[in-house]
Amino acid sequence: MPPRTLFDKVWDAHTVRTLENGQTQLFIGTHLIHEVTSPQAFGMLDDLGLAVRMPERTFATVDHIVPTDVREEPFADELADQMIKALRANCERHGITYFDLHSGLQGIVHMVGPEQGITQPGSTIACGDSHTSTHGAFGAIAFGIGTSQVRDVLATQTLAMSRPKVRRIEVNGTLPPGVYAKDVILHIIRTLGVNGGIGYAYEYAGDVFDRMSMEERMTVCNMSIEGGARCGYVNPDQTTIDYLEGRPYAPQGAEWEAAVERWRALASDDGAHYDDVTVIDAADIAPTVTWGINPGQAIAIDEDVPHPDRVRPEERAGVLEALAHMKLQGGAPIRGTKVDVAFLGSCTNARLSDFREVAAVLRGRRVAPGVQAIAVPGSTLVKEACEREGIDRVLIDAGFEWRAAGCSMCLAMNPDKLVGDQLCASSSNRNFKGRQGSATGRTVLMSPVMVAAAAVAGVVADAREVFGTAEAVSA
Amino acid sequence: MAAIAPVRTVVGRGVVVHGDDIDTDRIIPARFLRCVTFDDLAEGLFVDVRFDEDGRQTGHPLDAPERAGATVMVSGRNFGCGSSREHAPQALARAGFRAVIAGSFAEIFFGNATTLGMVCLALGDADLAAVQAAVDADAAAELVIDVDEASVRVAGHTYRGHLPDTARSALVKGSYDPLAELLGADAAIGAVADALPYVRAGGAAR
Ligand code: SF4
């Protein structure tokens, strides 16, 4: 067998056959579903008189629409209430494992899979949500899909897929102090563009990813989709294995030993063919923030916002539109821009390590007057872990609201929304116009520690200055 | 399963939504995703740019009376980026659109739209600008998209674009909804499943 990438190995092991149009019928070993993109798919199944082919490989939770303050049902929002009821009913009817709101295990779908050990190396994972790419952190091939495809997976446990090319993105060297996984992926997207990944799966490799924790790898893989890639992954290693050991759905005993051996063999072989290789020096990455209305419109915290007269002609219209929406001055620093809301949350950055880092810098500090600061753990388990460690107290004492798990202000399908043209320093993944619930709302994406710095300073700020470099050193 | 109608041509009037990187939050804001069917999505289409904060129309081309009944949307590069929500092409379809012409498409949007039989034709920059100009200039201009040729004819000119072979053949053959074909491989699906240890082990927690 010639040397292969992890992608090749997983794809080949899951290939059912080639379809008439040349696409691959790909077996999906793990299907994750949630309340937003599944009800219509179940409706289509019913219309066609089809059953769920492998309910035991389908896992559900509720995340997008759940309120993060008052969680009693029925929800005040009738439409949201209909959605949770529909999900519950569909799971019951089809025998699907469902991590319900009060199960103690509910959370953003991309947190729940890893926490439970459902997300495993070498698996294929699909979910009706573009940030399914998160699960690639484990060396899984994980795709976001549309609702008709949710139907396809429910009915057949397979998808019609075109095989993407594979680009290896190596980040070598050591990240400077105060630079986090979020900065790494924002830097990659900025470098390769929001279109750069179209047609590709991204393999993240090199010193920086080797040293990252699983939670940091998830942050990076999560935003592969913002770079246009359909999925992104990191080769499994000891870090992956240590994370999974003992999780509820991970293999146990003799099965565990066998699984570990298989997982170790999955990593891309030396000499494997890549369609493209991009190499980035870790030393070039700074704390990064977005200034515009797509995640590629990002700059280092000490850079100036682009001036429309000084960009390439084909970029000019986009820059002008972004500046107008963001109410920013071209050529001016982003630092010092007034912040109205600070949001710590989302499947990009609402894990225990994120809150630990934030608590470490926030201890004894206060959110600036006039800033609404909310902290929304990504899962109920993260919430409880934070509370056991007293992290919630540190955040509350600093002036943050401490909420229950859900997507919250990442996309504002629940009551957490920006109002008018409020500017939000956000640890989430998308800064599109209207994303956080107000058509004129403004989003500046950044790492959780930078969100904390913005909350304390009341303006977009350099965490290394606000907290002092020593404190802001990456864990 | 019912047979699917082939899509060989789309003929209709157009409307241009200018700009690159038109994302799915723009096409259909998240609050319209609070639904258990796709039935009412048309009203949310581009709603945040069509109305201001007081609910007044902003004069968006989608609301121009002479554009009513348009079936071809013309936009810029990287159309449909962002989320995987099928609500985006569903909203377009329910508002009557049968094709989108753009500089390029985000992958998930492209797949979702194609599965619905919606044609996503990509044009090079100069051709796209010409088509945008022709449609902007004349609301009555008829666009004729030939799927097999991956071309569009408007105002007396034909522009050749790009439509990947898989999508093109699926549209013209009426096999763009893959479910029937996927269902036809039951034994092979079972064989692949059985060869995968993590699947064999089933979904039970220990
Ligand atoms: S947190 Fe945001 S990006 Fe993640 S699944 Fe929820 S809405 Fe999507």
Side-chain angles (χ1 to χ4, degrees):
Chain A
M1 184 83 63
R4 294 185 297 166
T5 62
L6 174 140
F7 186 91
D8 297 331
K9 297 177 197 180
V10 178
W11 184 275
D12 293 349
H14 289 79
T15 294
V16 175
R17 60 173 175 162
T18 303
L19 297 169
E20 257 177 60
N21 65 3
Q23 286 187 301
T24 300
Q25 180 168 7
L26 191 72
F27 183 77
I28 300 300
T30 302
H31 188 197
L32 306 173
I33 62 173
H34 60 85
E35 76 283 12
V36 181
T37 54
S38 71
Q40 301 87 350
F42 282 110
M44 296 174 195
L45 276 199
D46 286 349
D47 289 348
L48 297 164
L50 295 170
V52 176
R53 194 173 191 293
M54 296 185 83
E56 74 280 13
R57 295 306 310 162
T58 313
F59 303 88
T61 191
V62 58
D63 50 10
H64 288 66
I65 52 100
V66 296
T68 55
D69 41 12
V70 181
R71 308 230 294 178
E72 270 68 57
E73 296 175 60
F75 297 152
D77 177 350
E78 232 173 88
L79 295 172
D81 200 61
Q82 264 179 31
M83 293 170 80
I84 191 172
K85 288 202 168 75
L87 181 65
R88 199 174 276 141
N90 284 324
C91 289
E92 260 168 36
R93 196 154 60 93
H94 294 282
I96 293 167
T97 304
Y98 171 45
F99 303 105
D100 201 356
L101 190 60
H102 300 289
S103 63
L105 302 175
Q106 172 267 345
I108 303 173
V109 62
H110 310 308
M111 315 283 271
V112 172
E115 281 176 350
Q116 292 303 311
I118 294 167
T119 301
Q120 293 179 14
S123 58
T124 50
I125 301 178
C127 175
D129 187 283
S130 51
H131 291 98
T132 307
S133 58
T134 311
H135 305 267
F138 292 80
I141 300 303
F143 298 110
I145 56 178
T147 293
S148 294
Q149 291 176 302
V150 173
R151 173 205 63 182
D152 295 347
V153 180
L154 288 173
T156 69
Q157 207 65 29
T158 66
L159 280 173
M161 295 283 298
S162 299
R163 185 181 187 132
K165 295 178 281 187
V166 182
R167 170 181 289 144
R168 180 175 163 99
I169 300 178
E170 269 181 48
V171 183
N172 292 319
T174 307
L175 293 173
V179 174
Y180 296 87
K182 181 64 156 287
D183 302 307
V184 173
I185 187 62
L186 284 172
H187 183 88
I188 289 171
I189 298 167
R190 172 192 183 186
T191 307
L192 296 173
V194 288
N195 288 326
I198 292 182
Y200 282 99
Y202 279 174
E203 174 176 305
Y204 301 103
D207 310 336
V208 165
F209 302 111
D210 288 347
R211 279 194 300 264
M212 277 188 182
S213 69
M214 288 315 296
E215 301 204 340
E216 292 172 309
R217 292 176 186 178
M218 285 188 253
T219 298
V220 171
C221 289
N222 175 274
M223 289 189 71
S224 303
I225 187 76
E226 270 65 52
R230 192 69 188 272
C231 65
Y233 66 89
V234 177
N235 284 306
D237 59 8
Q238 192 60 41
T239 307
T240 323
I241 292 162
D242 291 345
Y243 178 98
L244 283 170
E245 189 164 12
R247 304 234 166 215
Y249 288 80
Q252 311 278 308
E255 266 183 59
W256 169 257
E257 300 302 327
V260 166
E261 200 174 315
R262 281 196 310 275
W263 294 344
R264 286 194 192 283
L266 281 169
S268 296
D269 302 325
D270 289 340
H273 167 79
Y274 295 92
D275 300 284
D276 190 49
V277 178
T278 298
V279 180
I280 290 171
D281 184 348
D284 292 342
I285 307 179
T288 302
V289 298
T290 60
W291 59 269
I293 52 174
N294 75 54
Q297 290 175 323
I299 49 176
I301 182 65
D302 47 15
E303 277 179 73
D304 294 338
V305 174
H307 194 288
D309 295 344
R310 282 174 239 138
V311 296
R312 283 180 291 149
E314 65 271 23
E315 285 175 29
R316 192 156 186 274
V319 168
L320 284 170
E321 184 190 0
L323 290 174
H325 180 83
M326 294 301 292
K327 306 198 160 105
L328 289 174
Q329 197 66 48
I334 184 91
R335 256 198 315 205
T337 306
K338 190 178 170 305
V339 166
D340 304 297
V341 177
F343 172 62
L344 282 175
S346 91
C347 59
T348 314
N349 282 117
R351 300 187 184 81
L352 180 58
S353 57
D354 296 315
F355 289 109
R356 278 184 181 154
E357 275 157 4
V358 165
V361 293
L362 274 184
R363 204 175 291 279
R365 290 191 158 88
R366 285 290 304 169
V367 169
V371 175
Q372 184 197 13
I374 67 171
V376 187
S379 73
T380 306
L381 289 177
V382 168
K383 178 174 194 282
E384 287 170 354
C386 287
E387 290 169 1
R388 272 198 304 278
E389 294 186 15
I391 288 171
D392 60 323
R393 276 304 350 149
V394 176
L395 268 77
I396 292 166
D397 289 347
F400 271 82
E401 297 168 36
W402 180 247
R403 299 289 189 84
C407 295
S408 181
M409 209 185 269
C410 175
L411 93 168
M413 274 185 75
N414 79 340
D416 308 333
K417 290 177 173 47
L418 295 184
V419 179
D421 68 354
Q422 279 183 327
L423 188 137
C424 180
S426 181
S427 70
S428 59
N429 46 44
R430 285 188 177 145
N431 53 344
F432 299 143
K433 283 183 181 176
R435 172 72 177 182
Q436 293 192 286
S438 163
T440 49
R442 297 170 292 159
T443 302
V444 179
L445 301 176
M446 56 185 79
S447 72
V449 166
M450 289 282 283
V451 171
V456 167
V459 293
V460 176
D462 189 336
R464 296 169 300 188
E465 286 167 14
V466 175
F467 301 124
T469 305
E471 276 179 292
V473 170
S474 301
Chain B
M1 288 181 57
I4 324 170
V7 181
R8 295 195 185 89
T9 52
V10 175
V11 181
R13 290 176 293 112
V15 58
V16 184
V17 173
H18 284 278
D20 294 334
D21 306 315
I22 300 288
D23 58 76
T24 51
D25 283 81
R26 197 98 56 97
I27 298 170
I28 181 93
R31 60 183 185 279
F32 288 90
L33 273 48
R34 287 158 40 252
C35 56
V36 292
T37 71
F38 288 133
D39 298 347
D40 301 321
L41 286 177
E43 58 187 88
L45 185 68
F46 283 100
V47 72
D48 284 342
V49 281
R50 283 169 46 208
F51 297 91
D52 68 15
E53 272 170 74
D54 305 317
R56 280 182 305 246
Q57 289 198 346
T58 56
H60 193 273
L62 280 170
D63 293 311
E66 68 276 16
R67 301 284 171 185
T71 56
V72 180
M73 179 163 291
V74 185
S75 190
R77 278 173 293 192
N78 196 28
F79 187 82
C81 61
S83 91
S84 61
R85 61 185 72 155
E86 189 169 308
H87 304 67
Q90 288 277 1
L92 285 163
R94 277 154 212 270
F97 289 96
R98 297 174 53 216
V100 183
I101 297 174
S104 61
F105 294 89
E107 256 178 296
I108 303 183
F109 177 90
F110 183 91
N112 287 341
T114 305
T115 304
L116 303 180
M118 181 177 290
V119 180
C120 292
L121 179 66
L123 293 184
D125 287 350
D127 288 350
L128 183 63
V131 171
Q132 287 176 346
V135 174
D136 274 337
D138 181 7
E142 188 177 72
L143 296 108
V144 180
I145 297 176
D146 183 319
V147 175
D148 205 31
E149 281 190 349
S151 69
V152 56
R153 184 163 181 81
V154 61
H157 292 275
T158 299
Y159 305 91
R160 259 178 205 283
H162 177 68
L163 194 57
D165 287 340
T166 47
R168 179 167 42 186
S169 75
L171 288 164
V172 298
K173 285 191 196 142
S175 61
Y176 45 85
D177 183 338
L179 182 56
E181 198 182 356
L182 294 178
L183 281 165
D186 202 60
I189 295 170
V192 170
D194 287 343
L196 294 164
Y198 76 100
V199 174
R200 249 192 345 250
R206 314 300 129 131

